[in-house]
Amino acid sequence: MSEERARVEAVMTAFLNEFAPYAGLNLSGASLDDVESKLREVAELKIRHTGKKSPISGAMNLVGKVAPNERAGFGQFVQSVQKDIAAKIDRVEKTLNEIITNAKIESERLDVTLPGRRPRTGHLHPITILRQKIEDIFVSMGYAIEDDREIETDHYNFDALNIPEGHPARESQDTFYTTQGFALRSQTSTVQIRAMERRGVPIRIIAPGKVFRRDTPDMTHVPMFHQIEGLCVDKGITMAHLKGTVTEWLKRLFGEDTVTRFRPSYFPFTEPSAEFDFSCFKCHGTGKFESDRCRPCKGSGWIELGGSGMVHPNVLRAVGVDPTVYSGFAFGFGLERMTALMYSIDDIRHMFENDVRFLEQFK
Amino acid sequence: MNISYNWLKDLIDTDMTADDVAAQLTRVGLAVEGIHPHHDDYVLDIDLTSNRPDCLSHLGVAREITAITNSQLRITNDKGQSLKTEGQTLVTIQDTDLCNRFTARIIRNVKIGPSPQWLVDRLEAIGERPINNVADITNFVMHEHGQPMHSFDLDRLSGGRIIVRKATAGEKITTLDEVERELDATMLAICDVEKPVAICGVIGGLDSSITDSTVNVLLEVAYFKRENIRATSRKLGLATEASYRFERGVDIENIIAASDRATQLICELAGGEADDFVDVYSNKFVANAVTSADISESVKRLTGLSVETGECVRILNALGITASDDNKSFTFPSWRHDIAIEEDLVEEVARHAGYENITNELPPAYGAGEYQRSEPRKKRLRETLADMGFDEAITYSFIDTRHDGVFENVPELLDEQVEDKYITLQDSVIDGALRMRPSILPGLLDAVRLNLNFQRRDLKLFEIGKVFAAHAGEDNLPNEREILTIGVTGGEISEGKAVIVRELDLYDAKGALEAALDAVGVSNADFTAAEVKHLRIGQTAAVWVDGSRVGYIGRLSDEIAAGYKFKQPVYVAEVDLQAILDIATIPIAYRPLSKYPAITRDVSLLGDRNVSFSAIRDAVTEQNFELCRKVSFVDVYEGKGLQENERSITIRLEYRSDERTLIEDEVEALHKEILAHLEQKLAIKPRF
């Protein structure tokens, strides 16, 4: 059998000779093309040395020439050589394939820090954003949202609001008039009147909208701005309800720890009247923010927001409501001022310049 | 207004510090904005509301403090003087409607000189400049009693007497500020027998004023009608401490006390002797009263505060509002012009009882809240546009008149029946901005310009707001319509990327408008080629919904673009949002899903470039083939390989049946029939 064994060993030696260039292959620095061509060579090698027509397959025929008692041992020997050849080739193939796969993965590596592909998103105006937030709060508190004309008669802008002729607030230095003698509404209280005429009482509304005052534009004044006016008329409404309502919506907007302060004041359309302040949303009423004087409240801890009071009986009478049966409260405040405070906007004129660098800061 | 803490302490007995006084005054509605030290004194800067002219003096502020601290004023109004009103010739009032009361007192042999230090201190503390003893005393008494007064040099009054009358038109007077002023016939003047020597309630004349050589003084303390003083002050463009007080209302019943106080001080400090005193009081003050069945109950009803009747009466009484014996009728003092009704009493009680003592309560539960009917749809519209990259603008509602007639407005805004179609302001605070906008475009284009100036060239903006036009209606109230305007220019921005994806064109503006309309439930808008004066010919469409024209879209004309110095195309659209929101949205009608496959055919049709896609689509659908379900746009091609006036438009036809699977042959036959119709009707035929 030694002759047969020698022939098998010769097959192996021939294979090893041919395989030698791939056995200790060093592919560092090799291009993908080189690796792929090596893989093709190895594939050919495999066909020649592992197929049915390969020398080692041929060696199986030698089994018959070996003494019967040695056949089993010889067969195992040939098979082991066969396996050995196949394993050597597979190992190289596997290595090459891994190199190729890795190279491909590497070449398709992405920079995950590049920006995602998305069209630029636009922005709602900060006044719209704040108005919608406040509307949501009041709708959830049972209020209806109302709006109406922006150019009004003196009746709706003044008379019905208990601002009689000769009252300083009526002078044209505060109010814009058209050449036909109509007024640009100077407060959204006009909507109180129109809404009560439409809906009657009891009523709970807020009226957001544009108002106009003859202020020359500067850092803290604009001749057009937005106001929200609230009105609640029913039997048994008191100033306690005014305070409770104003405090509640401010808490919902600025947080549960918000407190309010009411100070006696004067407005023609309310009696008694009050101005209301709320504890600063930034310093929570302490007047200090990060050990500096708090900016929105100028260190006072309070932010002055708006006017309010119990609806004047003359206003109720103007819409045919009996003030001995019904009472109500009203309040109003400006959105531009509030927005400017919330975001520390130093120049209120930015609100109407529509500089995209301004608009895109609000989401 | 400045109030001296030491001066207040002359008038009331109080242990309160200046800080306490400030806090208490603020609490009751006299807002103290600041406390400034002045030598050994503190000055309170009080921001008074316009209804409280009675607090424009130390006396008035002291009175509020007595109601707070339950103390007494140190001043008593001494009316012990004998008055020489019968048969006097010193004062004649020609217009008693405008001058309700006039007092004149002669003080002889005064020596004009500097004021003593205590008087100088008082005046300087509140920011007043000392002049001479007599002038300083009248100023001092005004700030103490709230009563403006004027001293004349008696010897320089021609005829030595006073006539209060309306000026004659064109009459002139040189006033204390050395300005010659021309009066008109509505203005009330204090005159001697020849000429005006003072403008009532506003300012004195220079010629008759106190000088170093004055010996005999005529001290005038009077009451003038508020409205007249306000009008005169406005017309003259001159507001003084006197006019400020007179136009808000002074205390007509305190005139004698004020005159007495000044006289006493002049005699004391300038060595004068009081002589004749005349009080012409033709329009006597009548104290008004209001009844309150139960003041405590009224306070409770309006404020929720529980204040016992006794305490209500105490507060009111301290403020000079006197109660009848049964506490059901309350009489107002002469210094309160702002009290007329029971609610006013309630406020007086409530502010002293303390607004801080009113509890926070929510009104009892009521109905459900609601948004404005159109708000949910407008919210979707805004969000849709924002999602598509649009920023929301808000521009002024008043615009420059130079935009008149430049832009076509949304349909039916302008009323053809009226001659002046626009709404115009009497005047503005922004140069030239007299017109209430009939279009949002001028504002939006200004915003585009501003952004281009700041190197932002890729812009998508929209605004929702009202536009205005005159209207020939019953009450002539102007038309107000809510419209939507969009403006698009530059390129498509990808978030986080430095360069644009591509340049925007008309179809970007159109797509945004379609999406906006879709968001409010209008998915059947039509666009037809149109001519609009501010838009470029050939790149303009009218927008239609349900057969009504609602607006336009297109590229801004070269001429207007040049006016704004736009170097890149700007696409704009303006539609009548109110009209669109009024259109009923079509309810969703569900269609069962077909079980059978569709067969599609793409075909490129060659023809004249003016044959529009909508004409082709309509020519297909008008044939009403049940099996042809859909015509959609694929692509257009013009240019190389085609004639100049030609274009190739590729469309996709979709064939489908709900009952069976279609076979190729029947689709082919139908497709051919449709193409034949297109060729016959529009002279377009398959290119390949």
Side-chain angles (χ1 to χ4, degrees):
Chain A
M1 132 184 177
S2 57
E3 189 193 335
E4 290 79 13
R5 192 173 179 108
R7 281 181 61 183
V8 172
E9 278 166 355
V11 168
M12 184 62 175
T13 307
F15 166 73
L16 286 175
N17 279 339
E18 217 174 316
F19 184 71
Y22 308 103
L25 204 54
N26 181 3
L27 287 167
S28 62
S31 72
L32 190 58
D33 280 354
D34 289 345
V35 179
E36 277 172 343
S37 85
K38 284 278 183 285
L39 183 64
R40 277 194 299 276
E41 289 165 28
V42 173
E44 282 164 23
L45 200 72
K46 188 175 181 176
I47 291 165
R48 272 186 278 118
H49 289 279
T50 63
K52 278 188 181 140
K53 288 174 182 166
S54 62
I56 193 66
S57 291
M60 262 316 197
N61 299 332
L62 298 174
V63 173
K65 294 183 178 173
V66 177
N69 65 331
E70 286 173 332
R71 277 181 192 166
F74 181 73
Q76 280 169 4
F77 171 64
V78 175
Q79 274 177 356
S80 77
V81 171
Q82 209 170 13
K83 265 189 193 159
D84 196 18
I85 290 171
K88 280 191 162 64
I89 293 173
D90 281 352
R91 207 157 44 237
V92 171
E93 248 187 344
K94 196 172 166 230
T95 307
L96 290 171
N97 271 321
E98 267 172 19
I99 291 170
I100 289 166
T101 307
N102 287 342
K104 277 197 172 142
I105 285 173
E106 197 54 43
S107 72
E108 287 166 19
R109 184 181 283 277
L110 297 181
D111 177 356
V112 296
T113 68
L114 290 181
R117 197 171 289 118
R118 65 164 166 141
R120 176 182 180 274
T121 312
H123 307 80
L124 297 189
H125 196 281
I127 295 297
T128 301
I129 296 172
L130 185 59
R131 173 180 62 78
Q132 287 177 345
K133 272 187 192 165
I134 295 172
E135 283 187 11
D136 289 348
I137 291 172
F138 276 99
V139 167
S140 75
M141 289 169 72
Y143 283 70
I145 317 295
E146 280 273 1
D147 194 8
D148 216 295
R149 302 191 55 83
E150 291 177 11
I151 300 180
E152 272 294 5
T153 60
D154 272 353
H155 172 75
Y156 286 100
N157 201 48
F158 293 125
D159 297 327
L161 291 167
N162 196 39
I163 309 173
E165 204 140 349
H167 193 283
R170 275 182 89 138
E171 283 182 17
S172 54
Q173 64 191 41
D174 300 321
T175 308
F176 285 108
Y177 279 98
T178 72
T179 50
Q180 295 167 297
F182 295 114
L184 303 196
R185 67 178 178 196
S186 44
Q187 66 275 318
T188 50
S189 314
T190 54
V191 183
Q192 283 184 23
I193 305 299
R194 293 218 176 246
M196 279 196 281
E197 285 178 349
R198 267 198 303 272
R199 293 171 175 258
V201 290
I203 189 172
R204 282 178 202 186
I205 57 158
I206 65 161
K210 279 182 188 147
V211 299
F212 306 88
R213 305 255 173 99
R214 282 201 45 193
D215 286 324
T216 306
D218 62 26
M219 285 180 62
T220 53
H221 295 89
V222 272
M224 174 183 97
F225 57 99
H226 295 75
Q227 228 184 22
I228 290 187
E229 176 101 10
L231 173 74
C232 167
V233 178
D234 205 338
K235 290 174 182 164
I237 295 296
T238 72
M239 275 184 99
H241 298 131
L242 165 66
K243 281 184 72 174
T245 301
V246 169
T247 308
E248 177 66 20
W249 80 259
L250 284 167
K251 279 185 179 196
R252 293 197 193 186
L253 190 63
F254 291 112
E256 203 42 47
D257 63 345
T258 307
V259 291
T260 53
R261 182 173 76 176
F262 284 70
R263 292 174 288 113
S265 190
Y266 168 70
F267 306 103
F269 28 86
T270 49
E271 189 72 34
S273 301
E275 283 176 67
F276 59 96
D277 313 334
F278 67 102
S279 52
C280 181
F281 52 85
K282 192 156 189 184
C283 65
H284 302 276
T286 60
K288 280 204 182 303
F289 186 74
E290 287 167 0
S291 79
D292 284 331
R293 193 179 79 140
C294 178
R295 235 180 117 187
C297 65
K298 299 194 183 86
S300 72
W302 292 102
I303 290 187
E304 296 180 10
L305 187 57
S308 66
M310 300 303 290
V311 181
H312 197 285
N314 289 350
V315 174
L316 293 175
R317 279 188 208 105
V319 290
V321 173
D322 183 349
T324 63
V325 179
Y326 287 94
S327 56
F329 65 74
F331 59 87
F333 56 93
L335 288 182
E336 276 74 6
R337 207 184 105 75
M338 198 163 169
T339 306
L341 287 167
M342 285 167 69
Y343 301 108
S344 298
I345 298 165
D346 55 356
D347 191 336
I348 205 166
R349 288 172 295 192
H350 287 320
M351 302 273 182
F352 302 129
E353 281 169 354
N354 304 299
D355 188 325
V356 172
R357 296 170 305 165
F358 175 83
L359 296 174
E360 66 192 0
Q361 295 186 43
F362 303 97
K363 291 189 176 168
Chain B
M1 187 197 43
N2 289 333
I3 290 289
S4 147
Y5 170 67
N6 286 348
W7 196 338
L8 281 180
K9 293 222 292 184
D10 289 347
L11 303 173
I12 41 166
D13 217 359
T14 179
D15 299 333
M16 286 198 289
T17 63
D19 282 331
D20 290 343
V21 170
Q24 286 299 324
L25 288 176
T26 301
R27 192 183 68 88
V28 299
L30 274 59
V32 177
E33 309 260 276
I35 307 175
H36 313 290
H38 180 87
H39 302 315
D40 65 336
D41 197 359
Y42 293 96
V43 181
L44 312 182
D45 176 9
I46 302 183
D47 182 21
L48 273 184
T49 52
S50 64
N51 61 325
R52 294 301 304 275
D54 62 297
C55 288
L56 289 166
S57 66
H58 287 75
L59 176 67
V61 173
R63 193 184 288 123
E64 281 290 329
I65 296 173
T66 64
I68 296 165
T69 60
N70 205 8
S71 55
Q72 294 293 316
L73 275 180
R74 282 210 188 115
I75 284 190
T76 49
N77 288 1
D78 178 14
K79 291 183 183 170
Q81 291 277 341
S82 61
L83 308 178
K84 189 178 164 189
T85 49
E86 297 298 322
Q88 60 87 18
T89 53
L90 187 62
V91 175
T92 310
I93 303 178
Q94 286 187 358
D95 197 326
T96 52
D97 275 348
L98 298 184
C99 175
N100 303 40
R101 187 173 196 181
F102 193 103
T103 68
R105 188 185 312 257
I106 309 295
I107 305 164
R108 298 195 184 275
N109 299 321
V110 299
K111 287 191 186 64
I112 303 300
S115 298
Q117 193 56 42
W118 70 263
L119 181 54
V120 171
D121 284 348
R122 282 278 181 272
L123 290 176
E124 282 183 344
I126 60 167
E128 296 289 312
R129 190 172 53 89
I131 300 166
N132 60 49
N133 47 14
V134 172
D136 293 348
I137 287 164
T138 55
N139 199 17
F140 174 84
V141 177
M142 175 174 77
H143 282 101
E144 186 171 77
H145 281 250
Q147 175 63 54
M149 52 186 66
H150 185 66
S151 45
F152 296 92
D153 185 330
L154 179 63
D155 301 315
R156 302 184 78 152
L157 295 177
S158 175
R161 60 191 189 91
I162 292 286
I163 301 156
V164 182
R165 61 166 169 87
K166 279 185 183 153
T168 54
E171 229 172 345
K172 292 196 170 87
I173 176 172
T174 300
T175 47
L176 279 172
D177 51 0
E178 298 179 24
V179 175
E180 187 184 68
R181 297 175 190 277
E182 187 172 317
L183 306 180
D184 72 28
T186 67
M187 298 173 179
L188 201 62
I190 298 172
C191 308
D192 60 17
V193 294
E194 289 173 1
K195 60 188 182 303
V197 293
I199 304 170
C200 284
V202 182
I203 194 167
L206 186 64
D207 288 348
S208 59
S209 67
I210 304 293
T211 64
D212 289 348
S213 55
T214 297
V215 177
N216 299 314
V217 170
L218 185 148
L219 178 69
E220 166 241 323
V221 190
Y223 185 97
F224 305 105
K225 192 176 176 189
R226 293 152 62 183
E227 292 77 5
N228 183 259
I229 301 301
R230 180 181 303 133
T232 301
S233 165
R234 294 290 177 281
K235 277 188 238 171
L236 293 173
L238 179 64
T240 61
E241 294 257 19
S243 69
Y244 188 81
R245 285 170 174 77
F246 277 121
E247 69 181 47
R248 282 164 179 75
V250 299
D251 181 2
I252 196 169
E253 288 286 286
N254 195 39
I255 282 176
I256 300 221
S259 177
D260 285 350
R261 172 79 162 141
T263 305
Q264 173 224 333
L265 284 171
I266 291 172
C267 294
E268 203 175 289
L269 304 179
E273 300 144 23
D275 194 356
D276 282 355
F277 180 66
V278 169
D279 177 17
V280 184
Y281 193 4
S282 47
N283 251 332
K284 284 258 181 345
F285 168 75
V286 180
N288 286 317
V290 70
T291 55
S292 171
D294 184 343
I295 183 67
S296 173
E297 179 53 35
S298 295
V299 169
K300 176 103 189 151
R301 186 178 97 85
L302 275 180
T303 68
L305 279 172
S306 295
V307 187
E308 284 176 14
T309 306
E311 176 63 4
C312 294
V313 169
R314 183 199 70 76
I315 291 168
L316 294 171
N317 196 46
L319 295 169
I321 303 163
T322 51
S324 60
D325 291 343
D326 60 358
N327 293 331
K328 289 189 193 305
S329 175
F330 295 86
T331 305
F332 313 139
S334 50
W335 60 84
R336 290 301 293 267
H337 300 269
D338 60 319
I339 299 183
I341 56 174
E342 192 187 11
E343 284 78 1
D344 296 324
L345 301 181
V346 170
E347 181 176 73
E348 295 304 293
V349 172
R351 66 189 178 86
H352 277 275
Y355 281 9
E356 70 277 12
N357 294 318
I358 300 173
T359 53
N360 284 341
E361 284 172 37
L362 284 176
Y366 172 72
E370 53 181 281
Y371 293 94
Q372 289 189 77
R373 216 165 57 87
S374 59
E375 180 61 21
R377 287 197 286 160
K378 280 194 278 184
K379 193 171 179 182
R380 275 197 64 192
L381 186 158
R382 284 188 160 94
E383 280 162 5
T384 298
L385 285 172
D387 287 346
M388 295 183 79
F390 281 77
D391 291 321
E392 185 183 15
I394 300 179
T395 62
Y396 284 124
S397 296
F398 14 71
I399 59 171
D400 202 288
T401 49
R402 73 188 150 86
H403 300 297
D404 287 356
V406 174
F407 300 94
E408 189 169 313
N409 303 124
V410 294
E412 284 164 53
L413 175 71
L414 299 186
D415 187 337
E416 296 305 323
Q417 308 296 314
V418 228
E419 200 180 329
D420 290 330
K421 299 202 169 8
Y422 303 118
I423 300 297
T424 307
L425 298 177
Q426 288 177 7
D427 53 15
S428 185
V429 293
I430 300 172
D431 247 7
L434 283 171
R435 210 66 86 201
M436 291 305 283
R437 62 182 184 188
S439 164
I440 291 178
L441 266 184
L444 211 62
L445 292 176
D446 280 346
V448 169
R449 182 68 262 164
L450 176 126
N451 280 290
L452 292 173
N453 291 348
F454 289 111
Q455 290 86 46
R456 292 293 293 250
R457 70 172 291 278
D458 310 306
L459 300 165
K460 290 178 174 177
L461 295 171
F462 78 98
E463 179 170 353
I464 294 172
K466 279 185 172 176
V467 290
F468 307 86
H471 171 61
E474 210 172 299
D475 46 14
N476 285 322
L477 270 168
N479 249 341
E480 295 184 358
R481 290 200 78 75
E482 189 166 54
I483 67 167
L484 164 69
T485 303
I486 70 174
V488 161
T489 190
E492 178 77 14
I493 307 175
S494 186
E495 201 83 55
K497 200 171 176 192
V499 293
I500 57 167
V501 179
R502 61 183 171 78
E503 289 292 328
L504 298 169
D505 62 26
L506 178 69
Y507 300 107
D508 289 289
K510 187 183 174 192
L513 182 59
E514 286 171 331
L517 294 176
D518 204 26
V520 298
V522 174
S523 48
N524 57 343
D526 270 334
F527 294 76
T528 58
E531 285 190 17
V532 168
K533 64 178 156 189
H534 60 276
L535 299 178
R536 183 163 163 158
I537 291 167
Q539 298 195 17
T540 303
V543 185
W544 303 76
V545 176
D546 273 6
S548 301
R549 187 171 166 162
V550 295
Y552 56 77
I553 184 168
R555 175 174 168 176
L556 201 64
S557 77
D558 290 351
E559 189 191 343
I560 293 174
Y564 283 94
K565 297 194 167 64
F566 292 150
K567 296 197 174 75
Q568 60 193 49
V570 175
Y571 302 92
V572 297
E574 194 156 82
V575 293
D576 185 338
L577 185 59
Q578 209 161 313
I580 291 163
L581 292 170
D582 283 344
I583 292 164
T585 53
I586 301 158
I588 294 165
Y590 173 72
R591 285 219 306 269
L593 310 179
S594 175
K595 292 192 200 68
Y596 304 99
I599 293 176
T600 60
R601 289 273 189 280
D602 285 5
V603 56
S604 296
L605 298 158
L606 186 67
D608 190 281
R609 66 188 297 272
N610 286 323
V611 177
S612 70
F613 169 66
S614 71
I616 297 169
R617 186 190 55 204
D618 294 348
V620 174
T621 53
E622 74 190 5
Q623 299 177 75
N624 275 322
F625 287 115
E626 198 213 326
L627 297 180
C628 180
R629 292 302 178 90
K630 200 172 171 188
V631 187
S632 43
F633 168 73
V634 177
D635 207 357
V636 285
Y637 175 76
E638 42 194 83
K640 204 173 166 191
L642 298 186
Q643 304 289 328
E644 210 162 78
N645 62 340
E646 275 183 336
R647 77 166 173 173
S648 163
I649 178 162
T650 306
I651 61 169
R652 173 170 296 179
L653 297 169
E654 189 180 306
Y655 300 95
R656 188 166 47 74
S657 162
D658 290 336
E659 280 103 36
R660 61 201 161 83
T661 301
L662 294 177
I663 51 171
E664 284 286 336
D665 287 353
E666 68 182 318
V667 168
E668 194 53 40
L670 184 53
H671 190 61
K672 280 206 167 109
E673 195 178 338
I674 288 172
L675 295 182
H677 180 73
L678 288 178
E679 180 166 4
Q680 180 253 317
K681 181 160 186 190
L682 301 171
I684 49 172
K685 55 184 179 182
R687 188 173 162 206
F688 303 109

